[in-house]
């Protein structure tokens, strides 16, 4: 039930845009996005909830298509600091349990060059 | 306020020895999660705590792995008779919790475990 992320890697120049996709085979309650820099802990970016609510950063946007069980993260006017590995975590709830267990994708490596 | 802390930051142990990894969550966070991250891989869920109870242990890879949480605070992940395949970074995360609501998880810096 691991979500599938695409692409696996992206190389950008500063100022360019990127889209990272996350697809699940299960109906989702929410999708979480995190960024991890090498040797550091993952850092929260955004949550997209079923029903359309979003919580996250100002400079990053994302979409959540509940019907298609997909989410996309949009990084615009990329900066050097955007470099890192991006993970989506999907929250699907079997039997109605509700505790936010996340199943993470394999990650998308984003590299931004000057 | 302090973030999530973990200790030790690095642990090298011999195959067959037991290890204990500690996590101090953010104060007031009732939910606590343990994940394992192998080199170059994603995060693998191990166990979840709600308060001091662990309603979901489904991710523990074998009976050599166990975890407990006390005082709705500190959690310890214990790996008995370590094997080389246990080598990984073990990450702890905590979050607020409310039925039906999904909150962001805050991660600690991790413990890098190397089994020789």
């Amino acid at each position: 039930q691991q979500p599938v992320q695409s692409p696996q890697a992206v190389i950008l120049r500063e100022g360019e845009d990127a889209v990272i996709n996350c697809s699940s085979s299960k109906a989702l309650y929410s999708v979480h996005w995190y960024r991890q820099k090498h040797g550091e802990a993952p850092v929260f970016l955004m949550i997209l909830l079923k029903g359309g609510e979003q919580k996250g950063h100002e400079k990053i946007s994302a979409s959540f298509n509940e019907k298609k069980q997909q989410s996309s993260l949009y990084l615009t006017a990329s900066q050097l600091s955007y470099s890192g590995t991006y993970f989506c975590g999907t929250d699907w709830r079997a039997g109605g349990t509700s505790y936010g267990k996340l199943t993470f994708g394999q990650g998308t490596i984003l590299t931004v060059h000057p | 306020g302090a973030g999530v802390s973990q200790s030790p930051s690095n642990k090298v142990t011999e195959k067959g020895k037991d290890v204990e990894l500690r996590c101090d969550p953010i104060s007031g966070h009732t939910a606590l999660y343990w994940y394992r991250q192998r080199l170059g891989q994603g995060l693998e869920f191990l166990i979840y705590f709600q308060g001091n109870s662990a309603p979901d242990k489904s991710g523990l890879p074998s009976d050599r792995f166990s975890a407990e949480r006390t005082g709705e605070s500190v959690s310890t992940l214990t790996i008995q008779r370590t094997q080389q395949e246990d080598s990984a970074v073990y990450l702890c995360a905590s979050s607020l919790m409310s039925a039906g609501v999904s909150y962001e998880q805050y991660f600690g810096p991790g413990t890098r475990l190397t089994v020789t």
Side-chain angles (χ1 to χ4, degrees), chain A residues 18 22 47 51 78 80 83 90 97:
Chain A
C22 175
I47 290 178
S78 60
L80 295 177
S83 293
T90 54
T97 47

Side-chain angles (χ1 to χ4, degrees), chain A residues 2 29-30 32 34 36 39-44 47 49 55 87 91 93 98-107, chain B residues 31 33 35 37 40-43 45 48 56 58 91 97-110 112:
Chain A
Q2 181 182 34
Y29 179 86
S30 68
H32 298 220
Y34 291 81
Q36 185 177 33
E40 298 180 10
V43 173
F44 166 76
I47 290 178
L49 304 173
K55 294 188 284 183
F87 293 100
D91 177 3
R93 302 182 178 188
S98 167
Y99 57 77
K101 170 184 173 180
L102 298 179
T103 304
F104 284 90
Q106 80 281 14
Chain B
Y33 306 82
Y35 296 92
Q37 187 173 32
Q41 302 296 311
L43 291 89
F45 170 82
Y48 151 77
D56 190 342
S58 63
L91 290 160
M97 177 52 57
S98 176
V101 180
S102 192
Y103 291 96
E104 57 267 37
Q105 296 183 17
Y106 293 86
F107 283 83
R112 181 175 298 278

Side-chain angles (χ1 to χ4, degrees), chain A residues 33 35 44-46 54-62 72-76 82 86:
Chain A
W33 287 95
R35 177 172 60 212
F44 166 76
L45 294 176
M46 177 157 295
Q54 294 187 21
K55 294 188 284 183
H57 286 225
E58 295 176 1
K59 296 186 179 181
I60 296 173
S61 63
S72 295
L73 187 71
Y74 304 97
L75 303 164
T76 56
Y82 286 12
Y86 289 75

